[in-house]
Amino acid sequence: MSATTPSRPGPPKAIATPCVMVCAVDGESGLCLGCFRTLKEIAGWRALSDAERATVMADLPSRRSQVDPAKLG
């Protein structure tokens, strides 16, 4: 391939996600009981930058306390 020929793009880069395939939103906290994201965050996850996703993911462990432990099994 010469310097003037564009290289072929590879497969898309994988997007980091906290999803654990337990998709149930808690009505009281508004958080998913599997990953602790809001519906807005889940719906817009692909549109977020890597830095924005990293910020949300760093906040997720502290969100667990917003959910009634009885709902987490």
Side-chain angles (χ1 to χ4, degrees):
M1 203 176 281
S2 72
T4 58
T5 304
S7 63
R8 291 185 181 176
K13 180 180 152 192
I15 295 176
T17 178
C19 182
V20 295
M21 306 303 280
V22 176
C23 304
V25 177
D26 173 43
E28 290 180 48
S29 67
L31 300 174
C32 173
L33 297 176
C35 67
F36 304 108
R37 291 180 291 170
T38 64
L39 283 175
K40 183 178 178 181
E41 289 167 341
I42 293 167
W45 196 249
R46 291 183 58 132
L48 296 177
S49 69
D50 288 344
E52 290 168 322
R53 284 191 292 271
T55 299
V56 171
M57 288 177 71
D59 191 42
L60 296 178
S62 67
R63 294 181 185 186
R64 183 182 184 99
S65 65
Q66 296 176 37
V67 178
D68 178 354
K71 295 178 181 178
L72 299 174

